[in-house]
Amino acid sequence: MAAQLDFQSVREIFARFRAAEPEPKGELAHVNAYTLLVAVALSAQATDAGVNKATARLFEIADTPEKMLALGEEGLIEHIRTIGLYRNKAKNVIKLSRILVEDYGGEVPSSRAALQSLPGVGRKTANVVLNMWWRYPAQAVDTHIFRLANRSGIAPGKDVLAVERAIEDQVPAEFQLHAHHWMILHGRYVCKARKPLCATCLIRDLCAYEEKNL
């Protein structure tokens, strides 16, 4: 874990991220709040590309909780067999769809507490939905963000919640909305786990990582 970078260094890092990609986008395909929620729930321990492949046809026929319930658990399984833990995920998607219909009029709630009360929806999933759909400055910390935050010194923390809090505390407010996407994309494609691309990294002069791969 690197030491926390000073405020001006963190500001400069995100200014560079913004200059390179002013409007970063998540990579999970979706057509509405419900399909985003389902896609994120399915993405646990799976790649975005793998989820997108599985849901391409699924979301054409089941893009609302009502339609998902009509499809049923076994019907859903036929579409998501290629995704890890697909049986348990199918159970959760059907359960959360029923709750959305019965308790929320078929709509996805915009409350973190309400989202986290749904089967298979943890804090990270809730934060992704809040950020991507409701444009709330929520910080969903996955393995890529956790690695980048600690390696670079942007927002070090011993666990994902500590890193989430550190991002909220250390990243200037003007960058909070897109911080999650800038960090996940940088961690996924540049600050990789095994062979980080330090030589071509746009923040290498500010990064606190002592073992830079140059």
Side-chain angles (χ1 to χ4, degrees):
M1 183 189 300
Q4 170 68 53
L5 292 175
D6 63 82
F7 181 78
Q8 289 304 323
S9 294
V10 174
R11 173 180 286 280
E12 176 61 22
I13 283 172
F14 282 91
R16 293 182 190 181
F17 285 158
R18 182 171 62 186
E21 187 66 62
E23 288 288 330
K25 305 294 183 185
E27 297 183 323
L28 282 173
H30 60 283
V31 296
N32 54 30
Y34 173 70
T35 54
L36 174 61
L37 174 63
V38 172
V40 180
L42 293 176
S43 71
Q45 299 181 341
T47 65
D48 287 359
V51 173
N52 289 342
K53 185 176 181 180
T55 59
R57 174 61 179 150
L58 172 65
F59 290 160
E60 289 180 1
I61 61 177
D63 60 353
T64 68
E66 293 86 354
K67 292 177 183 177
M68 191 67 76
L69 290 174
L71 180 63
E73 187 175 323
E74 291 305 316
L76 173 56
I77 284 174
E78 290 305 309
H79 289 276
I80 64 171
R81 283 185 180 278
T82 56
I83 299 175
L85 307 175
Y86 67 89
R87 288 195 179 278
N88 190 54
K89 290 177 179 179
K91 289 181 186 297
N92 284 333
V93 168
I94 295 300
K95 287 179 181 178
L96 73 82
S97 297
R98 184 169 292 110
I99 292 172
L100 290 178
V101 170
E102 295 177 351
D103 297 347
Y104 297 97
E107 300 295 325
V108 175
S110 58
S111 154
R112 180 187 284 122
L115 286 167
Q116 284 190 249
S117 72
L118 298 172
V121 178
R123 187 179 181 89
K124 184 180 75 171
T125 296
N127 281 348
V128 172
V129 175
L130 290 171
N131 181 266
M132 289 182 65
W133 191 259
W134 301 109
R135 295 184 69 80
Y136 181 81
Q139 307 303 331
V141 179
D142 71 348
T143 56
H144 300 297
I145 294 177
F146 185 79
R147 178 176 64 253
L148 173 62
N150 278 293
R151 181 185 274 172
S152 67
I154 291 173
K158 66 182 185 303
D159 54 41
V160 293
L161 188 57
V163 168
E164 180 184 331
R165 296 280 189 258
I167 294 172
E168 293 173 344
D169 290 343
Q170 304 299 332
V171 177
E174 65 186 290
F175 303 115
Q176 285 283 330
L177 179 60
H178 293 313
H180 154 250
H181 281 124
W182 282 319
M183 292 183 73
I184 194 172
L185 293 172
H186 195 75
R188 181 177 291 164
Y189 297 113
V190 181
C191 195
K192 301 178 181 181
R194 294 185 180 278
K195 293 183 178 180
L197 306 180
C198 299
T200 57
C201 175
L202 82 169
I203 65 168
R204 64 183 179 277
D205 58 316
L206 299 168
C207 174
Y209 185 42
E210 294 182 354
E211 300 176 28
K212 290 189 174 74
N213 181 26
L214 300 175

